[in-house]
Amino acid sequence: MIKALILHASGTNRDSDLAYAIELAGGQPVIKPLSMLKESKSDWRDYGFLGLPGGFSYGDALGAGKLFALDMQTWFNDSLHDFVRSGRPVIGICNGFQALVKSGILPGKQHKATLTFNQRAHFECRWVTLEPNKANPSPWLQGLAPIECPVAHGEGRFFMEKSSELPHHQIALSYTHLDGTPAGNVYPVNPNGSPNDIAGITNSAGNVLGLMPHPENHIHAYQHPRWTRGQQNGLGLELFKNGIQMAR
Amino acid sequence: MLYRQLSRKTDTPSYRIVVESSLAYRSRKLQNQLIELGYKSEALPKVLDLYFLEGQLTAEDVKNIAEKLICDPVTERYSWMSLNAAEHGKAAKGQNTSSVEVTLRPGVTDNIAAELIKAAHRLGIEKLHSVTTGTRYEFNGCLDETDINQIAQDLLVNATIQQYTAGEIWPEFLHPVEGATKAEVIPLLAADEGELLVISQERRLALNLAEMLVVQNHFLVLGREPTDAELETIAQTWSEHCVHKTFKASIHVKTENTEIDGLIKTYLQAATRTINAAWVRSAFVDNAGVIAFDDEFDLSFKVETHNHPSAIEPFGGANTGVGGVVRDILGVSHRPIANTNVLCFGPQDQPVRDLPAGVLHPGRIKAGVVHGIEDYGNKLGLPTVNGAILYHPGYTANPLVYCGCVGFGPRDSHPCDPRPGDRVIVIGGKTGRDGIRGATFSSLTMDAQTGEVAGASVQIGDPITEKGVIEVVERARDEELYNAVTDCGAGGLSSAVGEMSENLGVKVDLAAVPLKYPGLVPWEIWLSEAQERMVLAVPPENLPALQRLCDTYWVELSDIGEFHASGQLEVVFGENLIVKLDNDFLHHGIPRLHLEATLDISPADSGYPSNPGHKQSIQLEEEILLSLLSHPNITSKEAVIRRYDHEVKGSTVIKPLVGLTHDGPSDACVMKPANTKGYRGFVLANGINPYIGEVDAYNMAVSVIDEAVRNVVAVGGDPDQTAILDNFCWGDPNRPETMGSLLKAAQGCHDAAVHFQTPFISGKDSLNNEYIGDDGKRRAIPGTLLISSISITPDIRNSVSMDLKSPGDLIYLVGEWKPALGGSHAVLVTRGREGDNYFGAVEALRKTPELSEPAPEVFRALHQAIHANLITAAHDLSEGGLAVSAAEMALAGHLGADLDLTKIHEDIKIALFAETNGCLLVAINLEKAKAFETHFNNLPIMQIGKVTETSVFTVIHQSKNIFQIPVEKLVAAFTAQRSSHD
C-alpha cells in the first residue's frame, strides 16, 4: 500500500477531501499538521506520495500560499527537495499549488512565476472542464480523459515573469468548453484569466503536478452538477489513480 | 472612542513601504465605482498597498521583509522610506492632495499585520514589533480635496474601523500601557429612579427601571455598592440577547383582554412538545437544536442574526456572524459541516441623498456583508449551500444578516456537565477591547450616533484561528478530555463562564486571560467579545493532553480558574475582587417583563417611501412575468452564490444553482456528509416573506413554514423527518402593535408546525430593529420571520432538481391552489406611482395565502413519488406564483413548455401570478404519468401542460394565446442583474 503524506498548514481545509480521493484511488493517506511533522522528524522517505491540499493557509495573508511556502523553506527544505528529486509523485491543489509555485518548486528553477488575483478580482466557485495536454509526457496525465470539477479560488491566475514563457510540455491541464474547444480566455470557461487557459502545470521532470481546480471534489458521480440530467462524465478520481500508479 | 490609550514612542523608528501591482484590476474596479458615484474619471486611479513597520530595524531588515514577505516578485514592486516624526508635520503641508491613504484604527483586528510580524520573526527579524496596514489611492490630479474627502467617506472608508488622510497618512501603533487591575465601585444604593435610568443609559446597560430597582435592592440587602464589572455582568446576563425577555414576557392582549404566558412556552415549545417526534435529540436547551441523522450520528442546526453589527461595519459584522454561529455548533460538540445565510437589504438603487443620517448605503452594506460571509465561510472550509437575499425599503438602516450552521457528530458524545475541580479553560483567540457590550448593544434601538459610540462592539474575525479551534474541539471530544464546552459569544467570558457555572460555582482570575495588548480594565476583559474563543471544563489530569492538541493546531490555551460547588460567581484580578454574585440572583433574579399587545394592527408604515423610483403600472402578462423574473427578490443570485465555496468537503449533491448551464435557482440543497456509509443525506432550505407579514403576520408565519417544508420536499427531503428553526427579527416590542404582530406570528408558527408535524428545535429573536434618524423619525423593519428547515433524505440518489429535463414530459400542478394577492410580488411589480394596479380592489389585496389543509398529505405523497423515481423535476410555487415557477423550470432546463391554465382560474392574471401555499409544479415522464396519477389518488393534482423542444414558453387560456416567450428571453430577464453585481 502506497503511503501518502498530506500536509496540513494552519488554515488548510481540503486535506480530508484529498485524503479521501487518495484512499479511493488505492493509496493510504496520512494527514500531518506541519507542527507535528516538525516535531516528530518523520522520515519523508516512508512515503511514496506527497500531497499539498487546498485551503487558506495563514488566511492568504501576504499572498496565497506564500507563508505555507515559507514554512516549507524554513523547516522542510531538504526533505521536500529530496522528495521532488527522487521522482516520487507530488500534487499541489489550489492553495497547495500556490505554495509549490511560491516556494519555487513549480514551474522549476529556471522560471519565475506566480499565481495572482483572478481577473474578476474576487473568489469564485464554479465547475470547469479540464483538458490534459497531450504534449506533456508526465505520468500524471497518462491516458487521462478530460476532467470536470469545481474551482474555488480568488488567486488562480498563473503568471510568468515578463519575457519568459512556460515550455509548452509543462502545461498539464487547461480550461476548455464542455466540447473540448479551448476556453480562449473567455470568462467564465476560463474562470480566472490565466494566459493560455492554464489550469495546471508540471515540473520539467513531470512528477510534480500543481493545479487550481479540485479533482478531489469529483470522485463520485453524485457530485457532478448535472447528474440529475444523466450527465456524469469526467471523474477526477482517474488523476489520483495515475498518481498512485506512479508511486508503485 | 472611549477606552483607547495611545502613545507614540518617539525613540522607536518606523518605516513606510508602498507596494504597487502591475495588474490593474483594483484600479478598474475603483474607476467604475467612481463613475457610478458620478465622478468623471478619465485617468485610471491607482490603488497601492501600504505597510508601516515599527521596530529597531536595519535597512537590510526592511528590504528583506518587503522582498521575501510582502511583494509578489512577478507582479509587484515596492519603495520604502524611514519615517521621521519631526519632519512629518512639514511634509504634510506641501503634499499633493490628489491622493488619500486609509489605515485600520489601532486595536482593530488586522490579520495580515499579525501574520507579517510572525513571519518576520521566523526570518530572524525579531525586532519588528508593530505593523499597521493600509491602502493608498491616487487620483492623478483630476479631483479636488472636497471631492476626495467625499469619495473617502462614500466609498473608501468606514470610520468605525478605519481612518484616513488626504495625502500621506501618519501611522498609529498601539502601545502597551498599564491597565487598572481593580474594579470601580458604582454608587447605586442612594440613586433615585431617575438616576438609576441615567446609570443604565450612560453605561449602555439596556436595563429598564424595574430591573435597575431589583439590582439596587439586591445590593441594599448585601449592604454594599456594586462594582462596574458586577453591573456589566448583570446587564449582559439579563440582556434580551441572552435571556429573550420579550419572548418570555407575560403579555396582556388589550383587544381581547387575555393574558399570554410567554411566547416561547405557549407557542414554540408547545408545538415541539405536541409533535413529540422521537428523532428530535435536543430542542431549545443547548447552543443548537439536534436531530438524529441515522442510528449512529446526529445533526445539529443553529441560525443566528448579526444585524446591528452588520449595519455599522458590514464586513466585520457578517464575518463574525458566521464565526459566532459556527461556535454554537462547537458548543454542542459537533463538527461544523455546512453554512447557510439569509440577507435582507434596502433597495440597491436608493439615492445616497435620501439616506437617513449615519446610515451606510445599502449597496455598501450588501457588498461588505457578502464579502464578510465569503471570507469567513470559505476560509473555514465550510460549504455555504443555502440562503436567500431580499430587498425592502424597511431594511435600509437595519439590514438583516441571518447566519446558519449545520453540525455533525456521533450520538451521545456531547458532555455538558462541569464538575467541581474542573479547570476553566479558554482556547482560541486573545482578548482585546474589540467587541465590548455586544449583547446589550444588540438589544438597543440604533440612532445616528450608534456607529461612533458602539464602534468598540464591532470586530473583524480571524477564521484561521477558529479553524484551529474546530480541529481541537473535535479531537478533544473524541478523546473525552472535557466535561462541558460552550462558546464565547455575546457577553464574552461573563456569559460563557456564567452559563457553565449556573448550577455550580466558579472562581476565575482575569490576570490569567491572554490579552492582545495590555491596558484593559478588568470589566473589559470579563465582557470582551473578542472572537474565536471557546470555554471548556477540563479535569486537571486531562490538561496535558489538551495542551498537546492545542500545540498541534496552533491554538492558544489558558487556564483561568476552577469550577466549584459554591453557588457563586467569583471573579478576581490577582488579589483584587472584581465580581462576587450569587448564581441564584444572577440567573433567576430578573423580574419578568410584562408587555401589552394589540391585535388591531394598522397597515405597517416603515417610515420609508414604499415604492421608490417606481414607474407606471404595467398590464401585459408577458411584461409582468419578465419584470417578476428580474425583480431583485426573484432574480438570479448567482453573483453572490459563486462567491461562496459550496463544493468544499465534496458533500453537496444538489447545489444552489442547477440545470443545464447551472443557472436555475434550486429549492433546497441536498448534502451527503463526508465519510458516511450508504446514501443517506440531509436537506436544507428556508422560508421567508416579510411582504405577507406586512398584511398579516399570522399568515406570514404559516406561509414561510409551508415554504420551508415544501422546499425540502421538492428535492427529496422527508416531510416526516423535517425539523424547523425560527428566527424573529422585529421592531420595538414595547409598542403594542409591534407586540401584537409578534404574537400573531408566534401563533401562526405553532399552528403550522403542528399541522405539518415539523418540530421547532431552536430559535432566536432579534428585536429593536429600528432606527431613529437625526430628523427624529422612527424607521422600523417589516416584522421578518425566517424559518430554516433541515430534513432527512433516505437516498440522495433519488434527489430531484428543478430544471425541466426532457421534451414530452408532462407538467402537473400538485397541491391545493388557493389564490391570494396580499403581499404578492405581482402587486409589487404592477403597482404604479399612483398606487394604481391591475389587481384592483384593496379588499382582494389584503387576502394573504392561508394554511393549506391538504398540504401535509400532498407533501408526503410527493416524497414517496420522488423516491419511487416517478418525478423528473419539481419546483415550488412561491413569489410570483405559478408563472414564475414554471418559467424558472424552463429557463433552468433551457427547454420550452406549453401550459394551458384555463382550469386554474377564469382570470388569467390571477392564474399566472397569484400566490398560494401548499403547491409545487412537477414534470413526469409520459410513461410514468399513470403511476403518478394513481399514486396521488384523491389528492389535488392537475395536468397543466408539457415540456417541448421548441425553446418557447407558451401559455394558453380559454383557447386564447396569452404569450409565447422564447426561453432565452426568460433567461435574459432572470439573469439581467447578474453582471451588475461584479
Side-chain angles (χ1 to χ4, degrees):
Chain A
M1 187 77 100
I2 303 298
K3 273 175 78 179
L5 174 62
I6 297 177
L7 304 182
H8 175 117
S10 173
T12 294
N13 64 34
R14 268 181 165 93
D15 44 344
S16 47
D17 303 25
L18 176 57
Y20 186 44
I22 288 173
E23 201 179 312
L24 281 190
Q28 187 192 344
V30 182
I31 298 172
K32 285 272 184 188
L34 297 186
S35 53
M36 212 186 251
L37 198 61
K38 204 170 62 164
E39 294 303 314
S40 68
K41 310 254 182 269
S42 275
D43 195 346
W44 289 43
R45 275 172 294 190
D46 291 349
Y47 297 94
F49 184 114
L50 176 65
L52 285 78
F56 286 84
S57 53
Y58 302 95
D60 276 358
L62 307 170
K66 181 100 153 252
L67 294 174
F68 194 171
L70 184 67
D71 279 350
M72 314 271 265
Q73 289 160 332
T74 317
W75 296 319
F76 309 109
N77 204 40
D78 293 345
S79 311
L80 178 64
H81 280 98
D82 288 350
F83 201 102
V84 168
R85 268 196 301 271
S86 75
R88 280 169 291 177
V90 179
I91 189 169
I93 303 176
C94 198
N95 196 238
F97 181 24
Q98 290 159 340
L100 287 175
V101 167
K102 292 185 183 177
S103 58
I105 305 257
L106 284 177
K109 274 205 191 96
Q110 49 286 51
H111 307 283
K112 220 182 225 179
T114 190
L115 285 156
T116 189
F117 297 92
N118 295 355
Q119 205 157 23
R120 294 244 156 174
H122 56 70
F123 180 97
E124 201 159 304
C125 177
R126 61 168 69 246
W127 279 63
V128 293
T129 307
L130 304 175
E131 180 77 29
N133 175 14
K134 297 202 171 58
N136 186 327
S138 164
W140 277 107
L141 308 174
Q142 281 312 298
L144 193 70
I147 292 174
E148 290 183 59
C149 67
V151 288
H153 62 250
E155 300 179 40
R157 195 175 177 194
F158 182 78
F159 251 62
M160 299 284 291
E161 199 174 37
K162 267 202 187 96
S163 78
S164 74
E165 201 171 332
L166 187 73
H168 181 66
H169 71 268
Q170 275 187 257
I171 296 176
L173 296 154
S174 52
Y175 300 110
T176 68
H177 291 269
L178 267 179
D179 63 8
T181 53
N185 216 344
V186 169
Y187 174 86
V189 185
N190 171 342
N192 54 35
S194 274
N196 300 320
D197 303 322
I198 289 177
I201 63 172
T202 57
N203 60 351
S204 54
N207 66 317
V208 182
L209 170 67
L211 73 166
M212 288 310 300
H214 292 284
E216 76 277 27
N217 286 144
H218 188 201
I219 48 178
H220 291 298
Y222 61 73
Q223 292 167 326
H224 194 285
R226 296 184 304 283
W227 73 265
T228 59
R229 306 181 66 84
Q231 298 178 24
Q232 27 192 270
N233 298 324
L235 276 189
L237 186 61
E238 301 308 313
L239 187 74
F240 299 98
K241 286 184 178 165
N242 275 351
I244 295 297
Q245 189 57 39
M246 267 169 88
R248 287 211 163 93
Chain B
M1 308 281 264
L2 290 171
Y3 303 103
R4 175 169 302 123
Q5 286 135 323
L6 278 171
S7 70
R8 240 203 80 67
K9 280 190 197 161
T10 44
D11 55 336
T12 314
S14 50
Y15 305 88
R16 170 189 164 98
I17 299 175
V18 184
V19 180
E20 182 169 3
S21 170
S22 61
L23 306 170
Y25 61 92
R26 286 195 297 181
S27 300
R28 270 197 294 274
K29 189 173 170 189
L30 177 60
Q31 188 177 36
N32 290 337
Q33 288 171 322
L34 290 176
I35 291 167
E36 261 178 51
L37 281 177
Y39 295 97
K40 276 189 204 140
S41 180
E42 282 136 21
L44 200 59
K46 271 188 185 177
V47 184
L48 305 109
D49 292 312
L50 298 174
Y51 296 83
F52 298 100
L53 317 180
E54 194 192 45
Q56 296 285 354
L57 307 175
T58 64
E60 202 58 29
D61 290 340
V62 178
K63 282 188 205 161
N64 264 329
I65 289 171
E67 284 164 25
K68 291 190 177 157
L69 298 178
I70 294 176
C71 274
D72 185 306
V74 177
T75 59
E76 291 175 337
R77 57 198 174 88
Y78 75 98
S79 60
W80 71 279
M81 60 186 278
S82 73
L83 291 172
N84 184 324
E87 282 170 25
H88 177 68
K90 285 181 245 158
K93 286 193 186 104
Q95 275 173 19
N96 166 18
T97 49
S98 182
S99 63
V100 63
E101 296 189 353
V102 182
T103 61
L104 287 175
R105 288 181 181 277
V108 172
T109 300
D110 185 345
N111 295 321
I112 295 176
E115 292 295 354
L116 183 56
I117 294 170
K118 278 194 274 175
H121 292 179
R122 261 163 57 193
L123 286 184
I125 307 170
E126 303 279 349
K127 287 189 172 155
L128 176 68
H129 62 75
S130 293
V131 172
T132 296
T133 63
T135 311
R136 174 179 171 81
Y137 302 91
E138 289 179 7
F139 299 102
N140 296 318
C142 51
L143 298 167
D144 65 21
E145 198 168 338
T146 322
D147 285 343
I148 287 174
N149 276 307
Q150 197 61 46
I151 290 167
Q153 286 162 24
D154 289 347
L155 195 63
L156 307 176
V157 180
N158 182 346
T160 306
I161 57 160
Q162 291 166 316
Q163 51 200 2
Y164 76 95
T165 306
E168 286 187 7
I169 200 163
W170 187 253
E172 278 187 81
F173 299 101
L174 207 53
H175 285 285
V177 287
E178 276 305 302
T181 56
K182 284 186 179 165
E184 196 185 321
V185 169
I186 308 294
L188 198 70
L189 301 190
D192 63 24
E193 293 191 352
E195 288 161 346
L196 286 177
L197 282 176
V198 169
I199 293 170
S200 173
Q201 213 168 4
E202 278 180 349
R203 295 195 72 92
R204 294 221 159 202
L205 300 178
L207 294 175
N208 64 27
L209 181 62
E211 291 158 348
M212 285 302 286
L213 284 167
V214 170
V215 174
Q216 185 184 42
N217 191 49
H218 180 74
F219 284 96
L220 275 170
V221 173
L222 290 179
R224 66 172 177 93
E225 299 282 7
T227 66
D228 51 2
E230 285 173 332
L231 269 189
E232 298 281 352
T233 303
I234 294 167
Q236 293 290 337
T237 312
W238 293 6
S239 69
E240 184 68 72
H241 189 94
C242 295
V243 284
H244 311 286
K245 312 189 231 215
T246 302
F247 270 66
K248 288 179 181 164
S250 67
I251 299 161
H252 175 244
V253 188
K254 286 199 283 192
T255 36
E256 331 244 296
N257 200 20
T258 50
E259 291 290 328
I260 310 286
D261 184 20
L263 292 181
I264 299 186
K265 200 166 126 193
T266 311
Y267 300 112
L268 303 170
Q269 288 177 339
T272 301
R273 229 184 355 258
T274 306
I275 297 162
N276 194 21
W279 43 268
V280 171
R281 308 285 309 162
S282 159
F284 292 107
V285 292
D286 218 325
N287 287 302
V290 182
I291 63 168
F293 175 69
D294 56 16
D295 295 337
E296 258 181 278
F297 293 98
D298 288 338
L299 285 165
S300 52
F301 195 10
K302 174 66 174 272
V303 179
E304 274 277 13
T305 49
H306 228 209
N307 305 335
H308 288 51
S310 302
I312 289 173
E313 209 300 275
F315 175 86
N319 201 241
T320 52
V322 177
V325 77
V326 165
R327 289 195 302 280
D328 279 327
I329 295 303
L330 292 180
V332 295
S333 298
H334 275 188
R335 172 109 193 170
I337 58 168
N339 282 348
T340 66
N341 65 79
V342 171
L343 313 174
C344 304
F345 303 115
Q348 299 293 291
D349 54 1
Q350 191 149 310
V352 179
R353 62 179 179 280
D354 293 352
L355 291 173
V359 170
L360 293 175
H361 188 270
R364 275 186 83 180
I365 294 183
K366 179 185 172 185
V369 164
V370 168
H371 189 207
I373 291 170
E374 167 201 327
D375 180 80
Y376 214 103
N378 292 354
K379 285 181 178 170
L380 284 186
L382 290 178
T384 300
V385 290
N386 184 257
I389 304 176
L390 45 153
Y391 303 90
H392 185 289
Y395 301 126
T396 300
N398 294 92
L400 303 184
V401 175
Y402 297 91
C403 299
C405 186
V406 177
F408 191 75
R411 173 130 335 134
D412 296 328
S413 61
H414 171 50
C416 35
D417 188 19
R419 305 203 185 124
D422 284 354
R423 303 303 303 173
V424 182
I425 303 299
V426 181
I427 63 167
K430 286 184 163 60
T431 300
R433 271 200 190 92
D434 40 356
I436 300 276
R437 289 178 174 155
T440 51
F441 165 52
S442 72
S443 309
L444 292 166
T445 295
M446 298 202 295
D447 57 34
Q449 272 76 49
T450 306
E452 271 171 56
V453 179
S457 283
V458 176
Q459 48 179 331
I460 312 292
D462 174 8
I464 301 307
T465 295
E466 183 137 316
K467 177 70 168 46
V469 171
I470 294 173
E471 304 296 342
V472 168
V473 171
E474 187 185 30
R475 287 166 179 79
R477 174 201 71 200
D478 290 346
E479 294 178 29
E480 301 183 2
L481 297 181
Y482 59 84
N483 288 329
V485 58
T486 197
D487 70 305
C488 257
L493 291 172
S494 80
S495 28
V497 177
E499 272 171 37
M500 278 173 104
S501 64
E502 183 177 343
N503 302 315
L504 210 57
V506 73
K507 184 174 177 181
V508 164
D509 186 354
L510 296 178
V513 176
L515 302 180
K516 291 183 180 174
Y517 37 82
L520 278 73
V521 299
W523 76 261
E524 291 179 318
I525 302 172
W526 184 230
L527 271 291
S528 163
E529 289 174 15
Q531 297 287 306
E532 290 92 27
R533 299 177 302 168
M534 297 293 292
V535 182
L536 298 97
V538 181
E541 64 272 21
N542 293 347
L543 266 185
L546 185 63
Q547 182 70 60
R548 270 197 299 280
L549 269 181
C550 286
D551 291 345
T552 299
Y553 292 97
W554 309 276
V555 170
E556 187 162 354
L557 175 153
S558 38
D559 179 349
I560 66 165
E562 188 179 279
F563 291 96
H564 43 65
S566 65
Q568 286 204 317
L569 175 68
E570 194 181 336
V571 181
V572 298
F573 191 104
E575 302 288 299
N576 304 329
L577 188 68
I578 306 298
V579 173
K580 191 162 189 174
L581 288 168
D582 268 353
N583 274 342
D584 195 43
F585 171 70
L586 185 60
H587 296 287
H588 306 290
I590 181 172
R592 191 175 192 192
L593 193 60
H594 299 278
L595 289 165
E596 293 281 318
T598 174
L599 297 185
D600 181 19
I601 303 168
S602 53
D605 174 14
S606 66
Y608 295 95
S610 63
N611 235 3
H614 214 288
K615 5 42 105 121
Q616 331 174 344
S617 158
I618 51 170
Q619 297 278 342
L620 282 172
E621 288 83 2
E622 174 171 350
E623 224 187 331
I624 297 173
L625 175 56
L626 294 175
S627 355
L628 280 167
L629 287 173
S630 58
H631 187 278
N633 290 347
I634 297 174
T635 188
S636 171
K637 309 297 187 298
E638 180 167 2
V640 171
I641 292 169
R642 298 222 177 277
R643 300 280 293 268
Y644 309 144
D645 190 343
H646 43 266
E647 298 288 355
V648 60
K649 290 183 185 293
S651 315
T652 319
V653 177
I654 294 290
K655 305 176 198 292
L657 294 166
V658 295
L660 185 68
T661 54
H662 317 159
D663 49 11
S666 189
D667 292 76
C669 75
V670 177
M671 310 284 293
K672 179 187 167 340
N675 304 325
T676 51
K677 296 194 174 67
Y679 292 96
R680 204 172 172 80
F682 68 93
V683 183
L684 298 175
N686 67 77
I688 185 167
N689 196 324
Y691 294 90
I692 296 175
E694 285 185 298
V695 187
D696 185 332
Y698 179 91
N699 276 353
M700 164 169 73
V702 161
S703 299
V704 298
I705 288 178
D706 188 310
E707 184 184 13
V709 179
R710 67 184 187 249
N711 274 326
V712 295
V713 170
V715 297
D718 181 355
D720 290 317
Q721 285 186 79
T722 300
I724 55 178
L725 284 71
D726 63 85
N727 280 85
F728 290 84
C729 288
W730 245 256
D732 180 358
N734 288 308
R735 280 184 301 164
E737 285 206 349
T738 306
M739 195 59 226
S741 73
L742 197 53
L743 172 63
K744 285 177 71 179
Q747 288 170 336
C749 277
H750 171 271
D751 297 352
V754 171
H755 185 58
F756 286 102
Q757 293 286 294
T758 49
F760 289 100
I761 54 168
S762 169
K764 201 84 192 189
D765 52 274
S766 162
L767 305 172
N768 300 302
N769 287 287
E770 304 200 348
Y771 187 89
I772 301 169
D774 279 347
D775 53 5
K777 200 167 154 196
R778 177 180 285 275
R779 295 164 178 88
I781 61 162
T784 307
L785 170 66
L786 169 68
I787 295 291
S788 307
S789 49
I790 182 165
S791 176
I792 301 295
T793 173
D795 192 333
I796 56 156
R797 294 170 299 177
N798 297 330
S799 306
V800 168
S801 57
M802 51 72 72
D803 46 313
L804 295 179
K805 308 289 188 307
S806 318
D809 282 2
L810 302 179
I811 297 173
Y812 284 78
L813 172 68
V814 173
E816 184 189 35
W817 187 83
K818 283 176 82 177
L821 288 162
S824 73
H825 275 62
V827 170
L828 214 60
V829 301
T830 54
R831 188 166 48 195
R833 195 181 288 115
E834 311 300 326
D836 49 329
N837 187 304
Y838 170 79
F839 294 102
V842 174
E843 279 313 303
L845 295 184
R846 293 204 68 78
K847 193 170 157 306
T848 49
E850 293 166 356
L851 190 67
S852 168
E853 210 45 57
E857 270 190 86
V858 169
F859 293 173
R860 194 167 297 129
L862 180 58
H863 174 67
Q864 290 157 354
I866 285 174
H867 285 272
N869 289 308
L870 296 178
I871 311 277
T872 60
H875 192 30
D876 83 319
L877 267 61
S878 57
E879 289 93 342
L882 192 156
V884 165
S885 176
E888 287 177 345
M889 292 174 86
L891 70 88
H894 290 262
L895 282 170
D898 284 349
L899 303 184
D900 184 339
L901 302 185
T902 309
K903 285 187 285 177
I904 302 274
H905 196 274
E906 59 186 15
D907 181 331
I908 181 60
K909 286 198 179 70
I910 289 179
L912 284 166
F913 303 118
E915 297 181 10
T916 176
N917 282 326
C919 288
L920 299 95
L921 292 180
V922 297
I924 317 274
N925 186 296
L926 197 55
E927 286 169 14
K928 294 188 176 172
K930 194 151 188 321
F932 172 77
E933 289 190 9
T934 311
H935 174 73
F936 269 77
N937 196 10
N938 289 323
L939 289 169
I941 57 167
M942 189 195 295
Q943 195 210 315
I944 59 164
K946 64 173 195 296
V947 184
T948 66
E949 254 172 294
T950 57
S951 296
V952 177
F953 183 63
T954 304
V955 168
I956 290 166
H957 188 251
Q958 295 170 347
S959 310
K960 206 175 122 205
N961 200 335
I962 304 299
F963 55 62
Q964 282 178 297
I965 311 175
V967 171
E968 288 318 307
K969 202 167 169 185
L970 300 177
V971 174
F974 185 67
T975 56
Q977 309 215 353
R978 186 164 61 181
S979 57
S980 69
H981 292 277
D982 278 344

